mmCIF file of all heavy atoms in Angstrom:
data_model
loop_
_atom_site.group_PDB
_atom_site.id
_atom_site.type_symbol
_atom_site.label_atom_id
_atom_site.label_comp_id
_atom_site.label_asym_id
_atom_site.label_seq_id
_atom_site.Cartn_x
_atom_site.Cartn_y
_atom_site.Cartn_z
ATOM 1 N N SER A 9 -6.458 13.841 3.789
ATOM 2 C CA SER A 9 -5.412 14.820 3.504
ATOM 3 C C SER A 9 -4.054 14.158 3.695
ATOM 4 O O SER A 9 -3.906 13.208 4.454
ATOM 5 C CB SER A 9 -5.555 16.057 4.400
ATOM 6 O OG SER A 9 -5.449 15.703 5.758
ATOM 7 N N LEU A 10 -3.108 14.671 2.964
ATOM 8 C CA LEU A 10 -1.727 14.206 3.038
ATOM 9 C C LEU A 10 -0.864 15.380 3.442
ATOM 10 O O LEU A 10 -1.054 16.490 2.947
ATOM 11 C CB LEU A 10 -1.254 13.684 1.681
ATOM 12 C CG LEU A 10 -2.050 12.551 1.042
ATOM 13 C CD1 LEU A 10 -1.521 12.259 -0.355
ATOM 14 C CD2 LEU A 10 -1.988 11.302 1.890
ATOM 15 N N ARG A 11 0.045 15.136 4.350
ATOM 16 C CA ARG A 11 1.028 16.161 4.688
ATOM 17 C C ARG A 11 2.383 15.496 4.805
ATOM 18 O O ARG A 11 2.486 14.325 5.167
ATOM 19 C CB ARG A 11 0.656 16.890 5.966
ATOM 20 C CG ARG A 11 0.707 16.060 7.219
ATOM 21 C CD ARG A 11 0.603 16.941 8.471
ATOM 22 N NE ARG A 11 0.530 16.143 9.661
ATOM 23 C CZ ARG A 11 1.571 15.565 10.260
ATOM 24 N NH1 ARG A 11 2.782 15.693 9.753
ATOM 25 N NH2 ARG A 11 1.406 14.842 11.354
ATOM 26 N N GLU A 12 3.406 16.247 4.437
ATOM 27 C CA GLU A 12 4.748 15.681 4.489
ATOM 28 C C GLU A 12 5.132 15.396 5.934
ATOM 29 O O GLU A 12 4.780 16.143 6.846
ATOM 30 C CB GLU A 12 5.741 16.617 3.806
ATOM 31 C CG GLU A 12 5.494 16.674 2.305
ATOM 32 C CD GLU A 12 6.633 17.277 1.524
ATOM 33 O OE1 GLU A 12 7.805 17.097 1.916
ATOM 34 O OE2 GLU A 12 6.343 17.929 0.512
ATOM 35 N N ILE A 13 5.855 14.285 6.109
ATOM 36 C CA ILE A 13 6.263 13.906 7.461
ATOM 37 C C ILE A 13 7.252 14.922 8.017
ATOM 38 O O ILE A 13 7.942 15.618 7.271
ATOM 39 C CB ILE A 13 6.864 12.487 7.509
ATOM 40 C CG1 ILE A 13 8.190 12.413 6.733
ATOM 41 C CG2 ILE A 13 5.873 11.447 7.023
ATOM 42 C CD1 ILE A 13 8.971 11.139 6.961
ATOM 43 N N GLN A 14 7.283 14.968 9.327
ATOM 44 C CA GLN A 14 8.224 15.828 10.053
ATOM 45 C C GLN A 14 8.940 14.958 11.085
ATOM 46 O O GLN A 14 8.468 13.869 11.430
ATOM 47 C CB GLN A 14 7.474 16.955 10.747
ATOM 48 C CG GLN A 14 6.672 17.808 9.803
ATOM 49 C CD GLN A 14 5.692 18.716 10.526
ATOM 50 O OE1 GLN A 14 5.644 18.786 11.746
ATOM 51 N NE2 GLN A 14 4.879 19.413 9.755
ATOM 52 N N GLU A 15 10.038 15.440 11.579
ATOM 53 C CA GLU A 15 10.801 14.709 12.602
ATOM 54 C C GLU A 15 9.911 14.336 13.785
ATOM 55 O O GLU A 15 10.028 13.240 14.339
ATOM 56 C CB GLU A 15 11.989 15.564 13.067
ATOM 57 C CG GLU A 15 13.003 14.821 13.890
ATOM 58 C CD GLU A 15 13.874 13.868 13.074
ATOM 59 O OE1 GLU A 15 14.035 14.054 11.858
ATOM 60 O OE2 GLU A 15 14.395 12.925 13.692
ATOM 61 N N SER A 16 8.996 15.204 14.149
ATOM 62 C CA SER A 16 8.105 14.948 15.292
ATOM 63 C C SER A 16 7.114 13.810 15.020
ATOM 64 O O SER A 16 6.464 13.320 15.948
ATOM 65 C CB SER A 16 7.351 16.217 15.674
ATOM 66 O OG SER A 16 6.548 16.657 14.589
ATOM 67 N N ASP A 17 7.000 13.374 13.763
ATOM 68 C CA ASP A 17 6.095 12.277 13.412
ATOM 69 C C ASP A 17 6.727 10.897 13.602
ATOM 70 O O ASP A 17 6.034 9.880 13.463
ATOM 71 C CB ASP A 17 5.645 12.390 11.947
ATOM 72 C CG ASP A 17 4.746 13.569 11.697
ATOM 73 O OD1 ASP A 17 3.852 13.823 12.527
ATOM 74 O OD2 ASP A 17 4.933 14.241 10.659
ATOM 75 N N LEU A 18 8.009 10.836 13.909
ATOM 76 C CA LEU A 18 8.679 9.534 13.981
ATOM 77 C C LEU A 18 7.998 8.550 14.935
ATOM 78 O O LEU A 18 7.833 7.378 14.572
ATOM 79 C CB LEU A 18 10.160 9.705 14.313
ATOM 80 C CG LEU A 18 11.009 10.309 13.184
ATOM 81 C CD1 LEU A 18 12.448 10.500 13.627
ATOM 82 C CD2 LEU A 18 10.936 9.460 11.926
ATOM 83 N N PRO A 19 7.565 8.957 16.133
ATOM 84 C CA PRO A 19 6.887 7.969 17.000
ATOM 85 C C PRO A 19 5.614 7.403 16.373
ATOM 86 O O PRO A 19 5.372 6.185 16.454
ATOM 87 C CB PRO A 19 6.579 8.768 18.272
ATOM 88 C CG PRO A 19 7.610 9.850 18.300
ATOM 89 C CD PRO A 19 7.818 10.215 16.848
ATOM 90 N N VAL A 20 4.804 8.227 15.738
ATOM 91 C CA VAL A 20 3.578 7.709 15.133
ATOM 92 C C VAL A 20 3.894 6.901 13.877
ATOM 93 O O VAL A 20 3.216 5.908 13.587
ATOM 94 C CB VAL A 20 2.540 8.819 14.861
ATOM 95 C CG1 VAL A 20 2.899 9.677 13.665
ATOM 96 C CG2 VAL A 20 1.152 8.226 14.673
ATOM 97 N N LEU A 21 4.920 7.271 13.148
ATOM 98 C CA LEU A 21 5.330 6.478 11.992
ATOM 99 C C LEU A 21 5.804 5.093 12.441
ATOM 100 O O LEU A 21 5.525 4.089 11.776
ATOM 101 C CB LEU A 21 6.421 7.197 11.204
ATOM 102 C CG LEU A 21 5.964 8.423 10.422
ATOM 103 C CD1 LEU A 21 7.154 9.228 9.924
ATOM 104 C CD2 LEU A 21 5.054 8.027 9.264
ATOM 105 N N CYS A 22 6.486 5.032 13.571
ATOM 106 C CA CYS A 22 6.915 3.752 14.128
ATOM 107 C C CYS A 22 5.696 2.922 14.522
ATOM 108 O O CYS A 22 5.648 1.709 14.283
ATOM 109 C CB CYS A 22 7.836 3.977 15.324
ATOM 110 S SG CYS A 22 8.531 2.454 16.005
#
Side-chain angles (χ1 to χ4, degrees):
S9 60
L10 302 174
R11 67 168 175 79
E12 292 195 34
I13 66 168
Q14 302 167 4
E15 192 74 24
S16 61
D17 292 318
L18 289 177
V20 75
L21 288 168
C22 185

